[in-house]
Amino acid sequence: MIARFLLWLAGIEDAGRVTALRDWHWRFALPGGWWALALIVLLAVFVAGLSAIRRSGLPLRLRILLTALRLLAFGLLILMLARTEVGVTFELAENPSIAVITDRSGSMGLRDGPDGLTRLEAARRMVDALGGRLNAQAYIARYDLDWRLSDDMRDTATGSTRLMEGLAELLDREHDLQAVILLSDGNDSTGDQGSGVAALYTDRGLPIYPVVFGRSEAARIPRLRLTGGADYVRLGDELRIEAQFEAPDFVGQLVRARLFLGESNEPIVPPIRDLTVGEQPLRLGFTIKPETPGRKVYRLVVDGVRDADSEELLVLEHVVDVIPDGIRVLLVDIPRPALKMLGHWLQRDPVLETASLVLLPKEGWYAQGRMRHENRGTGLPDREADLYEYDVIILGDIPRGYFREGDPAETRMQWLAEFVKRRGGGLITLGGQQVYGAGNYDHSALAGLIPFAIPTLRDPHVKGNLLAIPSPLGLQHPVMRLEADAEANRNAWLDMPQLEGANRVGDIKPGAVLLAAHHTDDGAMPLVAAQNVGKGRVLSLAVDTTWRWQMLRPIGSDADGIPEGTDYYRRFWANAVRYVAPDPRLTPDRPQIARPPAQMDVGRTAVLTTRLVDRAWQPHRQADLTVRVTAPSGREIRMHPTDRRSRPGVYDYPVTFDEAGVWSVTAVVNEPEALDAIARAEAAIAAAKAEADAGALAEAEKRLATARARMAREKITVGGDRA
């Protein structure tokens, strides 16, 4: 009983935990030393002796009791004055503290565990079993780990595997551990080998016991990945979505591929059926033509794979912006067959808004189509801002004298250079009798844009028939893509009719790409080349007789079984104009958010970029830009990024995607004004609808579109470590 009382005083409620008494000792700290103790003892004896004297008149028993009490009181006084301490060393049987960490990354969702369980479900079952067995014998701290250490114990497997960071964080959270049990299926996805963490655990003498889930052989996981697909397409154009399906563990199985729009369960194009899985990847391709503008989410699904450990990678999504605006083209040339044929087909292209200016033989200009600048009979616009109303300029056989006439500084040519470099416009130059070296264009502002050198030669023209042979890089270039299949594209170019004559040009400039050349005994003579210049693109042709591809193409009839030849001339020029056309999503005073990867891992920090230009297409510096990032849970983060002098008009801001789901990123210029304008425009629309005033409704909708032009939104899907 006394022992239990003493243990209780020591803070040990369970006496059964004491296994041994190792040591004990007394310690005194009496003020004044031993002489003070002797004095107190003498005083105690004297006082106690007074109680023992017979003359006190007290009975003998009472005198003895009183003497003992006085001696005891003085003894207690001595103990208190001496600050007496008793030191006892016990040996306790303490329950160990164990941390159990469960890997909850995306690969733990593979269903290859016992009884058809996922790896995460099997790990959860094991943790429950450990808790049931060790609950009375150990203290168990349970944690989950994907990209970070947490104790929320969710049942979803998502995120990347950052084992070493999680183990280091565990040491900061738990300071009294005897062991760590790690339930995982693989290595650290960041590549951290744990050299730093191992030293920390070694110093503490803390062991780690790993338990590995999953089969010892490689997981049977088919994979579907996107290999081709534009981020945007103009309304009226076709969109090509290409993917590659790899399933070497399922050779011989028959699968099918389907393409859906959004959450619809009805395929938007006929499925590709009866695809036989082989050792080599299957190439899938769908061609669609969006019918309405806006943002579209296309979902490509491959199904029919049996006994796969995961079906997550059999679905991919591709986000595409369908732009309602066409490409505004200005064709500038002299009267000749190339102009007639090219202008005819450009005007028939439903995506192009083509206007043409023809330099008349004597004087003046003849305009056709919808001009986006005031035509004063002087050809190209008289103001630089008017030139920016176009997306693509096609410059034909215009002599350099036109730019020099009355203007030694060749201002219009300088504007063309700025149109490409600063505005990001597209420029296509054609061969002719008065251009390149034949027109003394060397050492001009235009010569700096051309992808090949412009030498001064005595004979600047090559006569006779020429065959345009694509270069190896040219066969893969968007301009030269006449057929989707690589072999069919190569054969199409070999069968193209010959051209007639060309300009002699020099070597391809560094950074430019040779797309096609005419091969002679003296080497390859460039015919088609492309180059990025500033924010724009330039495509230059040393020939002006591409119309022969149209006029001399093979034509047959159904009667003799020969189909009509494909119109590769029209396809080539459609490719050319679309390639050099600028991104329509970047407009003055409207933020453009550079789209990050469609699928992002949980826990990743990505630097997003917003670009701004003003009405003159100059970088918009120090703009009042507000960025709102909204997490799937509704949590909102507001930022006010600034641009740097080294990157004017480009606003970077880091975002850590710490939740799985769809994130929303909104960028607004002059936020209070923009939001107020949107609210007023929406109120005006509601009032116009209530009064059924068509004119007011149209005006209000126009104001709403203008106000929303100062705002950009982007959706980002955050998933996890996809095995």
Side-chain angles (χ1 to χ4, degrees):
M1 191 66 179
I2 297 177
R4 288 182 178 274
F5 176 73
L6 293 177
L7 290 174
W8 178 80
L9 289 177
I12 303 173
E13 298 182 2
D14 186 5
R17 293 169 53 196
V18 179
T19 59
L21 178 62
R22 290 296 183 185
D23 188 22
W24 68 276
H25 61 272
W26 295 88
R27 185 171 61 185
F28 300 94
L30 182 67
W34 289 102
W35 65 267
L37 177 61
L39 183 61
I40 295 174
V41 170
L42 290 176
L43 180 61
V45 171
F46 174 74
V47 173
L50 292 178
S51 301
I53 299 176
R54 292 183 178 182
R55 296 179 182 180
S56 62
L58 296 176
L60 179 60
R61 292 183 180 179
L62 185 57
R63 280 185 286 150
I64 294 174
L65 177 61
L66 184 59
T67 301
L69 289 175
R70 288 181 176 180
L71 290 175
L72 178 61
F74 273 96
L76 292 176
L77 177 63
I78 293 172
L79 290 177
M80 287 187 293
L81 291 177
R83 294 187 297 227
T84 306
E85 295 181 0
V86 180
V88 182
T89 303
F90 296 103
E91 183 176 292
L92 300 179
E94 185 71 32
N95 289 342
S97 295
I98 301 173
V100 180
I101 302 179
T102 303
D103 182 0
R104 203 182 62 203
S105 61
S107 57
M108 289 291 284
L110 294 180
R111 195 169 294 278
D112 60 354
D115 302 327
L117 299 176
T118 66
R119 298 175 180 179
L120 180 59
E121 291 169 347
R124 290 278 192 254
R125 179 183 290 185
M126 181 175 182
V127 173
D128 293 340
L130 282 174
R133 294 180 181 179
L134 303 178
N135 190 35
Q137 305 174 28
Y139 300 109
I140 299 178
R142 296 178 58 175
Y143 290 97
D144 276 0
L145 173 64
D146 42 27
W147 69 278
R148 63 179 180 181
L149 196 68
S150 64
D151 55 4
D152 52 7
M153 300 300 160
R154 289 179 294 174
D155 292 328
T156 55
T158 183
S160 54
T161 311
R162 301 184 181 180
L163 294 180
M164 300 309 160
E165 291 183 17
L167 290 173
E169 185 179 351
L170 178 67
L171 294 179
D172 294 332
R173 293 197 183 191
E174 301 287 345
H175 303 284
D176 188 24
L177 290 177
Q178 280 70 54
V180 176
I181 300 176
L182 178 62
L183 312 181
S184 180
D185 66 345
N187 298 321
D188 192 305
S189 60
T190 64
D192 189 345
Q193 299 298 316
S195 56
V197 177
L200 296 176
Y201 275 78
T202 301
D203 289 343
R204 291 197 183 185
L206 184 59
I208 300 177
Y209 301 98
V211 180
V212 180
F213 290 83
R215 295 193 300 260
S216 58
E217 66 271 15
R220 294 161 52 86
I221 307 174
R223 284 179 171 82
L224 179 66
R225 61 185 182 90
L226 188 72
T227 57
D231 289 339
Y232 72 89
V233 65
R234 297 180 186 268
L235 189 63
D237 266 345
E238 291 183 340
L239 172 67
R240 179 76 176 175
I241 298 179
E242 298 177 344
Q244 183 172 284
F245 177 66
E246 302 178 29
D249 297 317
F250 304 91
V251 174
Q253 291 193 20
L254 293 179
V255 299
R256 66 174 176 175
R258 295 180 293 170
L259 186 67
F260 302 90
L261 178 59
E263 298 298 325
S264 173
N265 293 322
E266 292 295 328
I268 58 176
V269 292
I272 304 177
R273 302 179 183 275
D274 298 333
L275 291 167
T276 304
V277 180
E279 294 287 348
Q280 299 300 319
L282 292 174
R283 299 187 181 277
L284 309 175
F286 291 93
T287 301
I288 53 180
K289 193 171 185 178
E291 299 179 352
T292 56
R295 176 158 292 184
K296 312 292 181 184
V297 180
Y298 294 98
R299 184 163 44 94
L300 181 57
V301 179
V302 172
D303 48 20
V305 181
R306 302 185 305 275
D307 302 325
D309 292 335
S310 173
E311 296 183 355
E312 182 181 359
L313 300 183
L314 297 180
V315 180
L316 63 81
E317 291 185 348
H318 182 53
V319 181
V320 178
D321 290 320
V322 182
I323 309 298
D325 302 325
I327 303 175
R328 298 165 296 185
V329 180
L330 179 61
L331 173 59
V332 186
D333 207 343
I334 63 172
R336 56 177 181 161
L339 169 67
K340 184 176 181 180
M341 184 67 68
L342 180 57
H344 173 74
W345 285 113
L346 292 180
Q347 290 174 358
R348 293 187 61 180
D349 192 315
V351 175
L352 307 185
E353 300 175 8
T354 305
S356 60
L357 287 170
V358 183
L359 179 61
L360 300 178
K362 294 185 179 181
E363 62 179 10
W365 291 81
Y366 176 69
Q368 281 185 308
R370 181 185 176 186
M371 308 300 298
R372 292 190 170 269
H373 69 283
E374 184 180 354
N375 180 23
R376 300 180 180 178
T378 56
L380 290 170
D382 295 323
R383 298 189 311 164
E384 185 178 10
D386 290 341
L387 188 65
Y388 292 172
E389 293 297 318
Y390 298 96
D391 297 316
V392 176
I393 306 295
I394 302 178
L395 192 63
D397 197 10
I398 303 299
R400 187 173 182 180
Y402 160 71
F403 295 100
R404 287 178 169 173
E405 186 176 354
D407 183 9
E410 299 181 331
T411 303
R412 283 189 174 88
M413 189 183 295
Q414 297 288 346
W415 289 349
L416 273 177
E418 291 300 314
F419 168 79
V420 176
K421 296 177 182 177
R422 190 171 73 236
R423 188 254 190 264
L427 177 64
I428 300 177
T429 62
L430 306 177
Q433 297 297 316
Q434 307 174 86
V435 294
Y436 302 137
N440 297 318
Y441 269 89
D442 54 314
H443 306 295
S444 67
L446 196 63
L449 307 178
I450 305 301
F452 38 65
I454 303 178
T456 301
L457 303 171
R458 178 177 298 179
D459 184 10
H461 291 99
V462 177
K463 299 180 181 180
N465 292 334
L466 308 171
L467 185 61
I469 302 297
S471 66
L473 287 178
L475 284 172
Q476 305 172 35
H477 200 275
V479 172
M480 310 294 284
R481 187 74 60 86
L482 303 181
E483 296 287 351
D485 180 74
E487 187 64 25
N489 187 50
R490 178 177 177 276
N491 293 335
W493 276 106
L494 293 177
D495 292 338
M496 293 285 276
Q498 291 183 329
L499 304 174
E500 185 177 353
N503 292 78
R504 294 185 188 274
V505 295
D507 296 333
I508 298 296
K509 293 180 180 178
V513 180
L514 176 64
L515 302 183
H518 173 64
H519 294 270
T520 65
D521 294 338
D522 296 330
M525 182 178 69
L527 296 181
V528 185
Q531 175 175 251
N532 292 342
V533 180
K535 294 182 173 62
R537 289 172 172 172
V538 178
L539 177 69
S540 294
L541 287 77
V543 295
D544 63 346
T545 57
T546 56
W547 55 268
R548 291 172 64 88
W549 291 341
Q550 167 69 19
M551 300 301 295
L552 301 180
R553 66 190 173 113
I555 298 177
S557 64
D558 293 337
D560 54 17
I562 302 176
E564 182 177 350
T566 305
D567 192 350
Y568 288 136
Y569 170 81
R570 187 176 180 181
R571 190 171 295 177
F572 170 82
W573 278 106
N575 292 345
V577 173
R578 286 162 173 78
Y579 171 72
V580 299
D583 188 338
R585 297 171 296 180
L586 179 63
T587 57
D589 293 331
R590 175 181 173 83
Q592 183 194 39
I593 302 174
R595 184 176 297 172
Q599 185 74 26
M600 192 172 295
D601 290 343
V602 178
R604 177 179 173 184
T605 298
V607 178
L608 304 185
T609 299
T610 295
R611 182 183 169 198
L612 276 172
V613 295
D614 59 19
R615 293 290 175 180
W617 293 88
Q618 293 279 17
H620 191 164
R621 295 222 57 206
Q622 302 298 319
D624 183 12
L625 180 67
T626 300
V627 177
R628 299 197 305 268
V629 181
T630 306
S633 63
R635 173 171 52 92
E636 184 176 275
I637 305 169
R638 284 183 177 242
M639 291 175 282
H640 300 275
T642 59
D643 61 341
R644 300 192 300 270
R645 182 168 298 179
S646 59
R647 300 186 69 194
V650 179
Y651 299 78
D652 297 327
Y653 40 95
V655 180
T656 299
F657 298 96
D658 54 2
E659 295 181 20
V662 179
W663 289 64
S664 173
V665 180
T666 304
V668 186
V669 180
N670 299 328
E671 182 180 34
E673 297 177 16
L675 297 182
D676 180 62
I678 291 174
R680 284 187 279 107
E682 290 176 342
I685 289 175
K689 288 182 177 179
E691 298 179 6
D693 189 336
L697 179 61
E699 180 63 26
E701 288 179 341
K702 182 178 179 180
R703 294 207 319 261
L704 179 61
T706 302
R708 283 182 171 166
R710 299 164 73 178
M711 179 183 298
R713 285 191 174 94
E714 191 67 51
K715 299 289 186 181
I716 304 171
T717 301
V718 179
D721 175 15
R722 301 180 60 179

